[in-house]
Amino acid sequence: MMRSDWPVRILCVLLLCGAGVSGCKKEQPQASAPVDAGVVATAQAGGPETKPVAKVAKPLKFSGVTLKRDPYFVNVTYTLTNPGTAQGRGESCLALLDEMGFVTYERNLGSITVKGGTDDVFNDNVYLPEENWDSVLTVLLYTVKGGRCEGADFQAASEPLRLRATGEPASADAPAPRRPGRLEPGEMELSGLKLWQGGEGDEYQLRYTLKNVSRRRINAQVCVQGYGTDEDVSEDRASVLANNLSMHSLAPGATKTFTERVDLSDSQRWDEVVALDVFLDARGCESKPEKAPVRLRFDKPAALKASDEDGSQLGESDADDPEEEAEESTAEPAEEETGMDESDAYDPEVEFPQPPPEPDDASEETAD
């Protein structure tokens, strides 16, 4: 009798199938941890993390300069090139140099902005009287990062360009540019002070003479400071009675006379002034008069009055320069020379009689 073994086979198949299922089961992906955003960005970029490119500042370069001047102004046209990647901003400057390389005149030309890797053309006018060119050997152009040219480093923001006063390139052996040292007591003499009132409103003229008794060039700012009967006033009050005049540069042994306009910021306080200081220092009215190396006080002429709302009140020695234009200031107006006054003026209706007016009815009809 044959033995049927199919139950055993079925059992073996089931056991083998269960083992196969457990051994062949596809693994499910495990829950992944959060990935850093920077890593993802780097992986997507396909390389290491990149950093922003640093801006590089390089000195600006001048080129294409032309100088045109008249008795009072100089016109400067120039190109500024920025070889760096950082934007260049600041002020362009002009300085006049003497034969020793000392600065005799220094002014701001204008604000400049030049993007990295580009160039731009600028055109500036600056007030520069002809007298300032007397001792000029060369002209220096440079830029500064701030807003003040005076006292700045010539090479801090640009490659300074040296030119002759004609606009041609300066010689290679020209002395290096430099500024004279600060004015010291006893190096400059101040004399010949004279103050008078101009012909319009609160316009006052001051004449003074400077003499350089030192052995070096001297640059100094002139300032006028007014005082009332009480000199112990606040700085704010004193500032309205002060006026910066010109910056002057005198060679050793030189003597010059200057005439300038004094324009107080608050003319209504002019009548409070009883005395004035004229003093010289490197910073002008920013300095204290009592600390200035050169200082001279004088009383304000009693005839000088501030103008009122109806017009100027001129003193006996008014109008213009009392020495140079004495004849003009003493001359009488043409009307007074004829001896005529307002009552002498003729009436045109009397000179040429007019016909009598028409009746009221006629005038009303004409009006209609």
Side-chain angles (χ1 to χ4, degrees), residues 53 73 78 94 162 220 316 358:
V53 178
F73 289 87
Y78 54 97
L94 177 144
R162 194 82 169 267
E316 296 178 357
E358 298 182 1

Side-chain angles (χ1 to χ4, degrees), residues 310-326:
D310 298 330
S312 61
Q313 300 174 352
L314 301 181
E316 296 178 357
S317 58
D318 55 15
D320 296 302
D321 187 337
E323 294 182 355
E324 297 180 356
E325 302 185 16

Side-chain angles (χ1 to χ4, degrees), residues 182-250:
R182 294 175 64 90
L183 172 64
E184 299 294 337
E187 291 186 319
M188 188 86 76
E189 292 180 354
L190 172 64
S191 62
L193 293 177
K194 183 171 293 186
L195 180 71
W196 68 94
Q197 195 162 8
E200 296 183 3
D202 298 322
E203 182 178 322
Y204 302 92
Q205 301 290 331
L206 177 69
R207 173 181 292 169
Y208 56 93
T209 298
L210 297 177
K211 181 178 182 180
N212 183 354
V213 296
S214 73
R215 296 183 178 181
R216 65 183 184 91
R217 176 169 289 279
I218 292 178
N219 295 349
Q221 179 97 36
V222 182
C223 178
V224 177
Q225 172 71 60
Y227 299 95
T229 55
D230 181 14
E231 291 190 17
D232 187 16
V233 296
S234 66
E235 292 186 4
D236 291 340
R237 185 179 178 85
S239 65
V240 300
L241 300 178
N243 184 211
N244 266 327
L245 302 184
S246 297
M247 174 74 76
H248 296 301
S249 179
L250 271 71

